[in-house]
Amino acid sequence: MKYQECNKIVKQKAFERAIASDEMKRSVVDSLDIENMMIEDQYTGPKLEEGKVTMRFMKEMMECFKDQKKLHRKCAYQTEKITICGDTHGQFYDLINIFELNGLPSETNPYLFNGDFVDRGSFSLEVILTLFGFKLLLPDSFYLLRGNHETDNMNQMYGFEGEVKAKYTAQMFTLFSEVFQWLPLAQCINGKVLVMHGGLFSEDGVTLDDLKKIDRNRQPPDSGPMCDLLWSDPQPQNGRCVSKRGVSCQFGPDVTERFLDQNNLDYIVRSHEVKAEGYEVTHSGKCITVFSAPNYCDQMCNKGAYIHLSGSDLKPQFHQFTAVPHPNVKPMAYANSLMQMGMM
């Protein structure tokens, strides 16, 4: 009788799997609306502090369990997140605003900054020293990727070299140049999301193992995977074409699809381009651009944005913000005199 009962259950489960739709197979995370879950006034148990797990919370939670009490479902559902920021381009006061809006970096509030920390904005030194400071403080919770502006030729034209020499010495710029060459070119999150500053490649067949083998301790070449990671851009049409920048390529949704399939990834996150809303989702949701320098160069009137990735499926959540005031020092104040006459 037990066997027959068990066999009936097995067949029922098999039938349910057979008729399950794609919608039913989606992660349960998609059905949760954690932000709108209310914590009732009568609840006296432990609560997350600004959505973060702290040592105090953990101690209170263990005491709660010892007393055979229950943790509020909102706290039970909430998971750690990582915040991804795009270009900051020397806009120090907007960087500080990100931390005020989203919390300072910590072991429970990790960040990834996706390149182009310097140039254009005239507070690049303040930006990079702040970011390097957090990297030293939190080596396993604060991540920096190299952008196309962490290179000598861009720094010479767009202001960072001039700024460092004006505020300190030429020797210090040389040291920054050496450090920039050691920055990683890409980051893979939980084996599902690949983050890079520019984009995908001029040729098919590039694997994650190929990226690990790149000799990054140098100035980038004019072509090849290292160049593409720093310089390429997505385009709406399939295929590839010559980049409007004159470096690397533009890649279509079919290129993105093939790369993700080959490397068992869900989507890519990149930066490198100003977006009016601070972010843009293209290629059927598989290519996301994030840009974190609002009112870029005091001219573009764009919003800034950062992304939260959380949950088992790393579903992105977008957060927008606007520019804040800064001291009366114009963008490009330290740039090459030819560059001060116009912007690329």
Side-chain angles (χ1 to χ4, degrees):
M1 290 174 62
K2 289 288 185 183
Y3 169 77
Q4 291 176 349
E5 184 178 347
C6 183
N7 192 40
K8 182 178 179 181
I9 294 172
V10 169
K11 289 181 178 179
Q12 177 66 25
K13 293 293 183 182
F15 176 73
E16 290 173 357
R17 286 195 300 270
I19 65 172
S21 65
D22 290 339
E23 186 69 23
M24 291 175 64
K25 294 177 183 177
R26 293 174 60 194
S27 170
V28 69
V29 173
D30 295 332
S31 65
L32 298 176
D33 186 10
I34 297 172
E35 290 188 4
N36 290 321
M37 288 182 184
M38 300 299 295
I39 296 181
E40 297 79 11
D41 293 339
Q42 60 268 31
Y43 176 75
T44 59
K47 298 177 184 178
L48 295 174
E49 299 176 20
E50 297 181 353
K52 303 177 182 65
V53 174
T54 62
M55 184 59 70
R56 175 182 170 185
F57 171 83
M58 292 302 298
K59 290 178 179 179
E60 290 180 355
M61 183 179 71
M62 289 187 290
E63 287 299 318
C64 172
F65 292 159
K66 281 171 62 178
D67 295 338
Q68 299 187 38
K69 295 179 181 178
K70 190 169 67 172
L71 183 67
H72 193 279
R73 67 187 184 111
K74 180 169 185 174
C75 300
Y77 274 130
Q78 280 188 288
T79 57
E80 291 295 332
K81 68 178 185 300
I82 185 168
T83 299
I84 301 179
C85 298
D87 305 39
T88 48
H89 271 303
Q91 297 185 197
F92 174 72
Y93 295 88
D94 293 309
L95 171 65
I96 296 304
N97 189 38
I98 292 174
F99 293 147
E100 290 176 352
L101 293 170
N102 193 58
L104 286 172
S106 68
E107 292 180 356
T108 57
N109 191 30
Y111 279 81
L112 190 161
F113 280 83
N114 196 22
D116 280 15
F117 322 119
V118 301
D119 284 339
R120 310 279 196 175
S122 294
F123 304 96
S124 293
L125 197 56
E126 290 80 359
V127 167
I128 195 61
L129 289 176
T130 299
L131 297 178
F132 279 177
F134 276 120
K135 181 60 181 175
L136 292 171
L137 178 66
L138 301 162
D140 298 321
S141 305
F142 195 84
Y143 305 95
L144 301 172
L145 300 184
R146 191 177 185 181
N148 64 301
H149 277 265
E150 280 69 57
T151 57
D152 284 357
N153 60 349
M154 301 301 283
N155 295 161
Q156 289 161 6
M157 290 188 290
Y158 291 101
F160 184 60
E161 180 180 18
E163 181 180 344
V164 176
K165 289 180 176 179
K167 295 179 179 179
Y168 290 98
T169 64
Q171 183 183 43
M172 181 175 282
F173 173 73
T174 301
L175 180 59
F176 274 116
S177 175
E178 291 181 12
V179 175
F180 286 164
Q181 293 184 135
W182 283 108
L183 290 172
L185 300 172
Q187 183 103 14
C188 189
I189 301 176
N190 289 359
K192 293 184 175 184
V193 180
L194 187 67
V195 185
M196 76 289 282
H197 179 73
L200 297 180
F201 307 99
S202 301
E203 297 180 353
D204 285 345
V206 177
T207 66
L208 297 184
D209 285 338
D210 293 331
L211 303 187
K212 295 176 184 177
K213 297 173 184 175
I214 294 175
D215 175 18
R216 70 177 189 265
N217 183 22
R218 55 177 172 155
Q219 295 301 311
D222 294 332
S223 61
M226 181 176 179
C227 174
D228 295 332
L229 284 168
L230 299 175
W231 278 100
S232 72
D233 294 297
Q235 64 180 17
Q237 64 271 28
N238 282 338
R240 294 179 176 90
C241 71
V242 176
S243 172
K244 58 182 180 293
R245 302 175 187 267
V247 183
S248 187
C249 69
Q250 296 179 185
F251 59 94
D254 57 331
V255 175
T256 300
E257 186 74 35
R258 289 195 297 271
F259 175 80
L260 296 176
D261 286 347
Q262 181 176 6
N263 291 281
N264 296 313
L265 297 168
D266 290 347
Y267 61 92
I268 65 170
V269 176
R270 40 94 59 185
S271 299
H272 196 40
E273 290 182 289
V274 185
K275 298 299 177 183
E277 296 300 314
Y279 71 95
E280 185 177 61
V281 181
T282 58
H283 295 185
S284 300
K286 297 186 176 182
C287 178
I288 296 172
T289 299
V290 59
F291 193 84
S292 302
N295 195 25
Y296 182 43
C297 290
D298 288 354
Q299 294 184 19
M300 303 301 291
C301 300
N302 62 289
K303 295 177 183 176
Y306 51 86
I307 305 173
H308 288 164
L309 301 188
S310 61
S312 60
D313 59 353
L314 298 178
K315 184 177 180 180
Q317 295 179 322
F318 303 99
H319 300 265
Q320 299 169 298
F321 59 99
T322 55
V324 296
H326 61 75
N328 189 24
V329 182
K330 293 182 179 180
M332 305 283 281
Y334 301 97
N336 181 294
S337 58
L338 291 175
M339 292 297 104
Q340 291 179 2
M341 297 172 61
M343 287 175 51
M344 278 175 47

